[in-house]
Amino acid sequence: MKQTTLDAKTIDTLRDLPDMIPVMRDFYEDWTIKVFDRKHHECRNYLSPNRRDFYKVLMITEGAGVFTMGLNTYYIEEPTILFIHPNDIISWKNLSDKSGGYYVLFKRVFINDHPQLKTTIDKYGLFNEKEKSVIRLKNSDLPILNSLFERMAHEDLSNNQLKDDALQAYLQLLMVESMRVAQFPKPDNVSDEYHYIHQFFHLLEKETSGINYTSPIKIKTAKEFAANLSVHPNHLNAVLKKYTGQNVSTHIRNRLLEETKALLVQTDWTLQDIGYSIGFAEQPNFSLFFKKNTGITPAEFRRSYQATA
């Protein structure tokens, strides 16, 4: 089964069914690489605790914020380029109203289709070796990097039949130029509270990333997660509420809903099997849970998506 999971910010934009289906189709199927100018897209605070189906290269040329990747925190106030693996637990907190730079998203299938790109990714380790994933830039480094992103953005809008070949070549050049000027900053100190946050999301991802009807989720309550992290449930709730605005149970529920939507869209499993995968022994209880949190039944959700296919 092909697994694709949207990040938490994207899921929040998909709550309203009439707007959800075309956007969801686009996110699941209709692209393998996209390029964005940060000036033209609102840069909000976000936490992305779940695996994604895409890699991300983010260059920040203007603005300031706090970026976390796993247990590493970076205060970004000068030009920086970030290489983010799909499995990274990341967050961003704006410290200014300004926003400048670019970012490119590309899916795993894009790498599979371009072996040369995979070779370059493996060679430099920018996505996999966390000490290399954040690179400080000098102003003198920006012209060539900006030029590469601008060419990628232009190519992304074209209908040229060689577009993907060009884009993968620009991505390789982007990594080469980044390594050429690389200055790897040391992470700033992370608090114990952030430690608990990232431990929780790591465990949540571990518990949900491979669930199916032969291997259903094993723990799914706030008390069970807290016990596994050797922390009192009240303290874990308080920390998550402070930094994310949501408690433990809400994060667990949203993650299970997210996985459910992927299973409904991407598999032909029965509702009984999907419900069992996420911890419901009885299919009616699963349907009630889904409808309570989305406004429609799982069957209606699946039919609405199939109707647009």
Side-chain angles (χ1 to χ4, degrees), residues 52 133 135 138 144:
R52 296 163 300 280
S133 293
I135 295 176
K138 299 176 183 177
I144 189 168

Side-chain angles (χ1 to χ4, degrees), residues 38 43-46 60 62-68 73-78 91-99 136 188 194:
R38 291 184 80 235
C43 296
R44 300 186 296 174
N45 298 336
Y46 65 87
I60 300 168
E62 191 174 12
V66 178
F67 175 77
T68 63
T73 299
Y74 300 88
Y75 292 90
I76 296 177
E77 299 177 307
E78 53 191 302
S91 66
W92 171 263
K93 180 178 176 60
N94 273 325
L95 297 178
S96 75
D97 295 328
K98 296 180 179 180
S99 177
R136 285 279 194 258
D188 297 292
Y194 265 109

Side-chain angles (χ1 to χ4, degrees), residues 67 69 71-75 130-131 134 136 184-190:
F67 175 77
M69 178 183 291
L71 294 178
N72 294 334
T73 299
Y74 300 88
Y75 292 90
K130 294 303 102 183
E131 68 275 10
V134 179
R136 285 279 194 258
F184 303 113
K186 291 184 179 180
D188 297 292
N189 291 330
V190 63

Side-chain angles (χ1 to χ4, degrees), residues 131-265:
E131 68 275 10
K132 293 183 178 180
S133 293
V134 179
I135 295 176
R136 285 279 194 258
L137 303 173
K138 299 176 183 177
N139 287 330
S140 58
D141 301 328
L142 296 182
I144 189 168
L145 292 174
N146 274 326
S147 175
L148 288 172
F149 273 108
E150 288 167 4
R151 292 178 186 179
M152 292 176 69
H154 177 76
E155 195 70 47
D156 188 33
L157 295 175
S158 77
N159 293 317
N160 192 296
Q161 62 179 355
L162 297 179
K163 176 173 74 173
D164 282 1
D165 288 340
L167 286 170
Q168 70 86 24
Y170 286 133
L171 274 173
Q172 291 188 67
L173 284 172
L174 196 61
M175 285 184 276
V176 171
E177 291 300 330
S178 296
M179 286 298 296
R180 196 196 304 272
V181 301
Q183 299 181 67
F184 303 113
K186 291 184 179 180
D188 297 292
N189 291 330
V190 63
S191 69
D192 289 339
E193 291 183 338
Y194 265 109
H195 184 70
Y196 281 126
I197 289 173
H198 287 282
Q199 277 190 320
F200 166 74
F201 284 122
H202 177 76
L203 180 59
L204 181 61
E205 175 60 24
K206 178 182 176 182
E207 289 299 314
T208 57
S209 61
I211 59 174
N212 56 60
Y213 49 83
T214 62
S215 178
I217 190 170
K218 296 181 177 64
I219 62 174
K220 67 169 190 173
T221 68
K223 185 176 180 180
E224 289 170 335
F225 272 87
N228 272 266
L229 298 176
S230 300
V231 61
H232 194 280
N234 291 345
H235 182 63
L236 186 60
N237 262 323
V239 169
L240 282 165
K241 184 72 174 178
K242 176 181 176 181
Y243 287 95
T244 72
Q246 297 176 329
N247 61 22
V248 176
S249 296
T250 301
H251 281 293
I252 296 170
R253 181 197 68 202
N254 289 345
R255 184 66 181 87
L256 291 177
L257 285 170
E258 180 183 340
E259 191 67 18
T260 297
K261 291 173 182 177
L263 294 175
L264 287 168
V265 168

